Amino acid sequence: MAKVIIFGIQDFAELAHYYLENDSEHEVVAFSVHEKYLPENRLFHGLPIVAFENIEKEYAPTAFKFFAPMAPQDMNKLRESVYNTIKAKGYELISYVSSKATLFNNPIGDNCFILENNTIQPFTSIGNNVILWSGNHIGHHSVIKDHVMFTSQVVLSGHCVVESYATLGVNATIRDGITIAEGTFVAMAASIIKNTEPWSMYKGNPAVKSEKSTKSL
């Protein structure tokens, strides 16, 4: 069991607090945000909110761990920045995997947030700082790299590779053997039947590439 500090005080942080308190061995001891976002009462769910800039002075990295499940703004780059800063401060990051998810001894990195009813088939690996919202099918012999966000009910078929910073929308479907390139945004209900190009957006069935780059999102 670890004493855990959660980054943030918005929806993702509130959900993380709920899941950790009700479906894990960990104890949440505090929340942390950047100093400019500190509320006046500095409390959230009855726990202290501490300025992120100096948190290591009050909560030593040797005694506490962090969890930072955040929304995928800026194609997951903001999440990556906070993740790297936490590690630079010397903290270890935990991962949460729902007791209602189905796994087969899959390698899973740190700071992953894997919710209920995900099925991760054998011989598939999950990188660091990955969010799998509820109800996804992650096919066999696939690789999901770092800083990736799956929303809900995504079907990733077998032997796929999802490169870093990708975001997959609700009900997206990925054919077997596909590579989702770095920074790809797959829109809601899109059907991907060929490899994608980096920092591109795809929508429709079959999906077509948008003229808009995801670097401008």
Side-chain angles (χ1 to χ4, degrees):
M1 183 186 80
K3 295 182 181 296
V4 177
I5 304 159
I6 294 176
F7 184 89
I9 52 173
Q10 296 186 336
D11 287 0
F12 277 50
E14 187 171 32
L15 283 164
H17 174 257
Y18 181 89
Y19 282 115
L20 290 181
E21 288 294 305
N22 290 281
D23 187 35
S24 88
E25 63 180 355
H26 301 308
E27 177 189 2
V28 180
V29 297
F31 293 88
S32 183
V33 296
H34 289 107
E35 191 165 8
K36 64 182 179 181
Y37 298 119
L38 282 171
E40 286 188 10
N41 67 1
R42 301 196 176 201
L43 287 173
F44 190 58
H45 283 280
L47 296 172
I49 307 171
V50 184
F52 184 57
E53 287 82 353
N54 300 307
I55 191 164
E56 60 270 30
K57 295 179 180 177
E58 297 183 53
Y59 295 85
T62 53
F64 300 92
K65 296 185 179 181
F66 244 98
F67 190 40
M70 299 168 59
Q73 287 103 334
D74 195 21
M75 291 303 295
N76 299 291
K77 290 282 190 175
L78 179 59
R79 296 201 304 115
E80 179 194 33
S81 175
V82 170
Y83 170 85
N84 287 337
T85 302
I86 291 169
K87 292 185 82 75
K89 286 176 177 286
Y91 289 100
E92 291 183 24
L93 292 106
I94 67 159
S95 284
Y96 167 77
V97 179
S98 171
S99 63
K100 298 180 177 62
T102 301
L103 293 90
F104 299 89
N105 296 315
N106 311 85
I108 294 175
D110 59 14
N111 204 49
C112 291
F113 195 29
I114 298 175
L115 302 188
E116 62 274 8
N117 299 325
N118 277 285
T119 296
I120 304 173
Q121 289 190 323
F123 311 115
T124 286
S125 63
I126 310 293
N128 298 315
N129 201 24
V130 171
I131 295 176
L132 302 179
W133 216 251
S134 55
N136 299 293
H137 170 91
I138 310 298
H140 59 92
H141 296 95
S142 290
V143 177
I144 298 175
K145 298 190 178 178
D146 299 343
H147 320 300
V148 167
M149 169 85 186
F150 278 59
T151 56
S152 293
Q153 308 298 331
V154 175
V155 175
L156 183 76
S157 302
H159 292 278
C160 288
V161 176
V162 180
E163 297 285 356
S164 297
Y165 312 112
T167 297
L168 292 89
V170 174
N171 285 329
T173 302
I174 317 299
R175 197 183 73 180
D176 60 291
I178 291 292
T179 294
I180 300 296
E182 181 178 277
T184 296
F185 183 91
V186 180
M188 182 174 64
S191 178
I192 302 291
I193 60 172
K194 60 182 180 181
N195 295 342
T196 67
E197 296 177 18
W199 303 103
S200 297
M201 179 187 302
Y202 292 81
K203 56 186 178 181
N205 184 3
V208 295
K209 179 185 169 186
S210 168
E211 293 181 356
K212 188 174 183 178
S213 169
T214 57
K215 288 186 175 179
S216 63
L217 293 179

